[in-house]
Amino acid sequence: MLYLAEVQKQKGGLLSGGGKTELKLLACQRTDQNWSTVSEEVIAAEEASKLNDGALVLVELNPNRQVQRIQEAGRPLVNILQNFSRQLEKFKLKEDEIDQWKQSLTFQAQELNRREMDMEVRLEQLQQLEDEVQHLEEQKQEVDTSRQEIERLQAEIERNRQELEGAWEHLRGEQRRLEERQADFQQGTVLDEEQSRVMSELLDRLSSRVTPTGTVREHLHLAFELVEKQQATLTPHWQKLEEQKNAIAQQQEEVERLSQTLSDRQNALQQGQNSLVQQTAQLQINTADLTSKQEYARLVKEQLRNAEELYQQMHSLAATSGDVVLGKQADVEALNKMPLEELQKIVQDLQHKLEIDASFVHDQEQELKYKQEAIEELQTKLNHASDHDHINLELELTDEKDLYQMLNSSLVGQRRNMLQHQKFLKQHQAVLLRRQGRAVTEEESNNKINLEPILLQIETQRQQYSQEIQKLEREIEQIRSGVELNQGMIDNQTHDLDEKRQELKAIEENLLSLRRTTAEYYGRVNLYQEALQPIQDSLDGLRQKLQGIGESLDQFQETGDYQVQAIAQLRHTLQSLMPQPVLLAS
C-alpha cells in the first residue's frame, strides 16, 4: 500500500556515525484520487538515509509494514494537486453550465406562464366580444321591430292625411256652394228645409272627420324613446370600440419598437460572430505556433537526452575500466596506515551505502519506465482524440513529459554518484585485500585516462541545452497562456452569443405573437364595427323618419285646427241662411 511519509533523522554520536532514519506516515492512498489521513505511525527505513530530514516521500509498504519502494513525493504531489485543480475547474464549468440551464429553464417557464395568461385573457375577451355581438344582434332585431311599427304608423298617418285631403276637397266644394247660397241669400233668398238639413249633415260629417292626433303623438313619442334607448345601448359599444382601436395603436407601437430592438440585436449578434471568427483565427495561429515551439523543444530535449546518455556512458566506462580516472580517488597511503579493523568498517559502510544507492536507482528507473509507458499511452490517445479533447490531452502529455525529464535528470546524477561510489569502493576493497594478504585481480595502472575534460565539455553542452529548453518552456508557457486566454475568451463569447441567440429567438417569438395578436384585434375590431355600423345607420334612419313624421303631424294638427275653425264658420253662416223653424229644430 502507498503512503505519504516524512523523513525523520536522529543525530548519532561521533563514533557511531550517521543517526537512525525513520519515516513518519502521514496519509494513505485508498484509490487513485482518494487519500485519507492515518495515525502518526513511525517505521524504520534506512533506505531513506540519503534524503534530507523533513523531506516528503512516497513509500510503498508490504502487509508486514516493511519498505518495498521509496521515492521523493515532490513531483507526484504536484501531479495530484494539478489533477485536483483540473477536477475543480471541470466541476466549476459543470456548475456554470447547470446554472445556465437553470436560468434558461426559468426564463422559458416564465415566458410560457406569460403566454398562458395572455391566451386566457384573449379567450375571455373573445368570449366577451361574442356575447356583445349576440346582444347587438338582439338589439338589431328590436330596431327592426321598431322600424316596422314606425312604418305602420307612418302608413296610418299617410292614410289619414289622404282622407283629410279628401275631406278638405269636399269642404271646399261645399264652401263654394255655400258662398253661392250666401250670394243668393243676400239677394233675398233663403235655404229651404231640405237644403238646411243636407248642409247640417255635411257639417256634422266634416266635424266627425277631424282626426285626433293625441294617440299618434303618443306612439311617436314612444318610438323616439325606443330609438334613444337603442342609441344609449350602442354608445358604450362605440366607446369600447374606440378604446380597442387605441389599444391596437399602442400594440402597433410596441410591434414597431420590438422590430427595431430585433434589428439592433441582430446587428450586435452579427458583429459578435465576426469578432468570434477573428479570435478563432488568432487561436489557430497561436496553436500552430505552440505546436512548432513544442516540436523544437522536443528536438532540443532529444539532444539533451543524447548528451546525458553519452555522459552516462562515459561514467559507466570510468566505473568499469581501471585505466580511467574520474571523480574522487582513494588516499591509498592513508588507507595503508589506518588500522585494519577501521578499514574493514569503512569498506562495509561504503558497501552498504552503495547497496542503498543501487536500490534507489533501480526504483527510480522503474518509475521512469512507468512514466515512459504513460507518455506512450497519452500519445496514442492524442493521435485518436477529437478536437474537443485534443488541447487537454496535449497539456497532460506536456506535464507527463516534464515529469519524465525531471525524473530522468535527477536519475542521471544519481547514477553518476552510484558509479563514483562503486569506483571508490573498489579502490578501498583493493587496499583491504592487499593488506589481508590476498591476491588482487586488478592492479592500478600508472597510465590513467582522464575523462574530466570530455565530461566537462558534455556538461557544458547539457547546460546549454537545459538553458535552451528552459527558454523554450517559458515561451511555450506564455503561448499556452495566450492560447488558454484566447480559448477562454472564445468560450465566453460563444456563451454570450448563445445567450444573445436565445434572447433574439425569444424577441422574435414575442414579436410574432404580438403581430398575430394585433392582426386578431384588427379583425375583431373590424367585425365589431361592421356589426355596429348597420345598427347605427338604421337608428339614424329611424330618427330621421320619426322627425319627418313629427313635422308632418304638426302640419296635420295645424290643418285639423284650421278645419275645425272653418266648420265653425260654416255652421255660423248656415244658421244665418236657415229659416227660423229649422233653426229651432236644430
Side-chain angles (χ1 to χ4, degrees):
M1 186 172 289
L2 190 62
Y3 289 87
L4 176 65
E6 179 184 0
V7 178
Q8 294 182 346
K9 290 186 176 182
Q10 298 179 0
K11 296 182 180 179
L14 296 175
L15 298 178
S16 61
K20 182 179 180 182
T21 303
E22 296 178 338
L23 294 177
K24 181 181 179 182
L25 302 181
L26 301 177
C28 176
Q29 185 182 24
R30 302 299 181 187
T31 61
D32 291 340
Q33 302 294 334
N34 188 11
W35 290 76
S36 60
T37 57
V38 296
S39 58
E40 296 183 354
E41 181 182 355
V42 179
I43 61 174
E46 292 300 329
E47 295 86 348
S49 59
K50 63 183 179 300
L51 300 174
N52 295 328
D53 186 24
L56 293 177
V57 295
L58 291 176
V59 57
E60 187 173 350
L61 302 180
N62 59 17
N64 296 327
R65 315 298 286 177
Q66 294 178 352
V67 178
Q68 289 184 333
R69 187 168 63 92
I70 186 172
Q71 63 174 340
E72 293 183 359
R75 197 61 189 177
L77 283 178
V78 172
N79 288 338
I80 293 173
L81 292 176
Q82 286 178 346
N83 292 332
F84 181 71
S85 178
R86 293 191 188 100
Q87 293 294 331
L88 285 179
E89 291 178 357
K90 292 180 180 178
F91 181 72
K92 185 177 180 181
L93 291 175
K94 291 294 183 182
E95 284 186 341
D96 294 339
E97 186 177 356
I98 291 172
D99 291 338
Q100 293 171 7
W101 277 107
K102 286 182 179 179
Q103 293 177 0
S104 178
L105 290 175
T106 302
F107 176 76
Q108 292 178 6
Q110 292 176 354
E111 185 67 18
L112 182 60
N113 292 332
R114 186 185 66 81
R115 291 182 180 178
E116 288 180 353
M117 294 176 63
D118 290 342
M119 289 299 295
E120 291 177 357
V121 172
R122 291 170 186 171
L123 287 174
E124 292 178 357
Q125 292 177 351
L126 182 60
Q127 185 63 36
Q128 185 177 2
L129 284 175
E130 290 178 353
D131 295 339
E132 291 176 354
V133 169
Q134 185 176 2
H135 184 63
L136 289 175
E137 289 293 336
E138 295 176 356
Q139 291 182 353
K140 185 177 181 182
Q141 293 178 359
E142 293 179 359
V143 171
D144 293 337
T145 304
S146 300
R147 183 189 296 110
Q148 294 175 1
E149 181 67 22
I150 291 172
E151 290 176 353
R152 186 185 64 79
L153 290 175
Q154 188 175 7
E156 184 178 354
I157 291 173
E158 183 66 22
R159 188 174 60 254
N160 292 332
R161 186 180 63 80
Q162 292 177 359
E163 291 179 355
L164 183 61
E165 288 180 354
W168 268 106
E169 288 295 330
H170 185 73
L171 181 61
R172 289 189 187 97
E174 293 296 330
Q175 187 175 5
R176 285 194 297 272
R177 286 193 297 271
L178 182 61
E179 289 176 353
E180 294 175 355
R181 297 286 181 90
Q182 188 176 5
D184 295 339
F185 177 75
Q186 290 177 357
Q187 295 175 0
T189 61
V190 295
L191 295 175
D192 56 12
E193 182 179 355
E194 182 63 24
Q195 290 176 342
S196 298
R197 185 181 59 79
V198 172
M199 291 297 293
S200 297
E201 289 177 358
L202 288 174
L203 290 175
D204 293 337
R205 287 177 60 188
L206 287 175
S207 298
S208 62
R209 283 294 182 178
V210 177
T211 304
T213 60
T215 304
V216 178
R217 286 188 179 276
E218 183 178 356
H219 287 293
L220 183 62
H221 181 69
L222 291 176
F224 269 114
E225 288 181 352
L226 180 59
V227 170
E228 294 301 326
K229 181 179 179 181
Q230 296 293 332
Q231 185 63 51
T233 305
L234 286 179
T235 300
H237 293 288
W238 284 111
Q239 293 175 354
K240 188 172 183 180
L241 179 63
E242 189 64 27
E243 292 174 357
Q244 290 181 355
K245 286 183 178 179
N246 295 331
I248 290 175
Q250 293 177 358
Q251 282 191 351
Q252 186 63 34
E253 293 177 358
E254 181 68 16
V255 168
E256 294 176 357
R257 186 188 66 81
L258 278 180
S259 299
Q260 184 64 36
T261 302
L262 180 63
S263 178
D264 296 339
R265 297 294 172 84
Q266 287 176 343
N267 294 332
L269 180 63
Q270 185 63 39
Q271 293 177 0
Q273 289 176 346
N274 295 335
S275 176
L276 181 61
V277 170
Q278 294 177 358
Q279 291 186 1
T280 304
Q282 185 64 37
L283 176 63
Q284 293 175 351
I285 294 173
N286 293 337
T287 304
D289 190 14
L290 177 62
T291 303
S292 62
K293 291 286 185 183
Q294 288 176 342
E295 181 64 22
Y296 181 55
R298 187 188 65 79
L299 295 176
V300 176
K301 288 180 181 179
E302 185 69 25
Q303 295 294 331
L304 178 61
R305 196 158 40 246
N306 295 333
E308 289 175 348
E309 290 179 358
L310 179 61
Y311 193 83
Q312 185 65 32
Q313 291 175 2
M314 297 298 292
H315 272 283
S316 299
L317 177 63
T320 56
S321 176
D323 297 332
V324 177
V325 177
L326 183 63
K328 182 174 65 172
Q329 302 295 318
D331 190 354
V332 179
E333 184 178 357
L335 294 178
N336 289 326
K337 292 180 181 179
M338 71 173 53
L340 186 60
E341 292 79 4
E342 184 177 353
L343 179 58
Q344 290 177 345
K345 180 66 170 61
I346 292 175
V347 170
Q348 291 176 358
D349 291 342
L350 289 175
Q351 190 171 4
H352 179 67
K353 189 171 183 181
L354 181 60
E355 291 176 355
I356 294 175
D357 291 344
S359 177
F360 184 76
V361 168
H362 177 72
D363 293 340
Q364 292 293 92
E365 287 177 347
Q366 287 295 115
E367 183 66 23
L368 193 64
K369 181 180 178 183
Y370 297 151
K371 289 293 181 185
Q372 182 63 34
E373 292 176 355
I375 289 174
E376 292 176 355
E377 183 179 356
L378 285 175
Q379 187 65 46
T380 303
K381 291 181 179 180
L382 183 62
N383 294 333
H384 300 85
S386 61
D387 295 338
H388 179 71
D389 299 331
H390 197 272
I391 296 178
N392 294 330
L393 288 175
E394 278 189 350
L395 296 176
E396 190 173 354
L397 180 61
T398 303
D399 294 338
E400 290 295 332
K401 287 183 178 180
D402 292 341
L403 289 174
Y404 179 87
Q405 184 64 33
M406 184 179 296
L407 185 60
N408 189 35
S409 299
S410 64
L411 187 58
V412 170
Q414 292 168 3
R415 288 171 179 165
R416 182 174 63 249
N417 293 335
M418 185 184 70
L419 294 175
Q420 290 178 356
H421 292 162
Q422 186 178 8
K423 184 74 174 181
F424 196 59
L425 175 60
K426 287 181 178 181
Q427 293 174 358
H428 282 72
Q429 287 176 342
V431 174
L432 178 61
L433 291 175
R434 282 196 300 269
R435 291 188 61 180
Q436 289 177 347
R438 291 187 286 179
V440 180
T441 58
E442 182 180 355
E443 296 293 337
E444 296 291 334
S445 174
N446 292 327
N447 297 323
K448 303 290 185 180
I449 300 174
N450 190 1
L451 297 179
E452 285 295 334
I454 299 176
L455 293 176
L456 182 61
Q457 184 179 1
I458 297 175
E459 182 64 26
T460 302
Q461 291 181 353
R462 288 177 57 208
Q463 291 179 358
Q464 292 176 354
Y465 288 147
S466 298
Q467 292 175 359
E468 183 68 19
I469 288 174
Q470 292 176 0
K471 178 182 177 182
L472 286 173
E473 287 179 346
R474 287 195 297 269
E475 293 177 355
I476 288 173
E477 186 62 29
Q478 291 178 357
I479 297 175
R480 182 183 290 115
S481 299
V483 168
E484 292 177 354
L485 180 61
N486 289 340
Q487 185 64 46
M489 293 176 63
I490 289 174
D491 293 339
N492 293 332
Q493 194 165 3
T494 302
H495 175 66
D496 293 340
L497 288 177
D498 290 338
E499 290 183 348
K500 288 181 179 179
R501 289 190 185 96
Q502 293 178 0
E503 184 180 3
L504 192 63
K505 183 178 180 181
I507 293 176
E508 288 178 348
E509 292 178 354
N510 192 14
L511 181 59
L512 181 62
S513 176
L514 193 58
R515 284 176 175 172
R516 185 167 53 247
T517 304
T518 304
E520 291 176 358
Y521 281 172
Y522 266 122
R524 292 173 186 173
V525 167
N526 292 332
L527 179 62
Y528 202 20
Q529 187 169 1
E530 289 175 359
L532 286 177
Q533 193 63 48
I535 299 175
Q536 184 66 51
D537 294 340
S538 297
L539 284 178
D540 293 339
L542 287 175
R543 186 180 290 108
Q544 291 178 359
K545 290 181 179 181
L546 290 176
Q547 290 176 354
I549 292 172
E551 294 175 356
S552 300
L553 191 61
D554 291 338
Q555 295 176 358
F556 186 75
Q557 180 66 38
E558 183 179 357
T559 305
D561 294 340
Y562 179 74
Q563 180 182 0
V564 172
Q565 184 180 2
I567 291 172
Q569 292 178 356
L570 286 174
R571 191 179 295 276
H572 178 71
T573 304
L574 285 175
Q575 288 178 358
S576 62
L577 294 176
M578 290 180 183
Q580 191 64 30
V582 176
L583 292 175
L584 292 175
S586 62

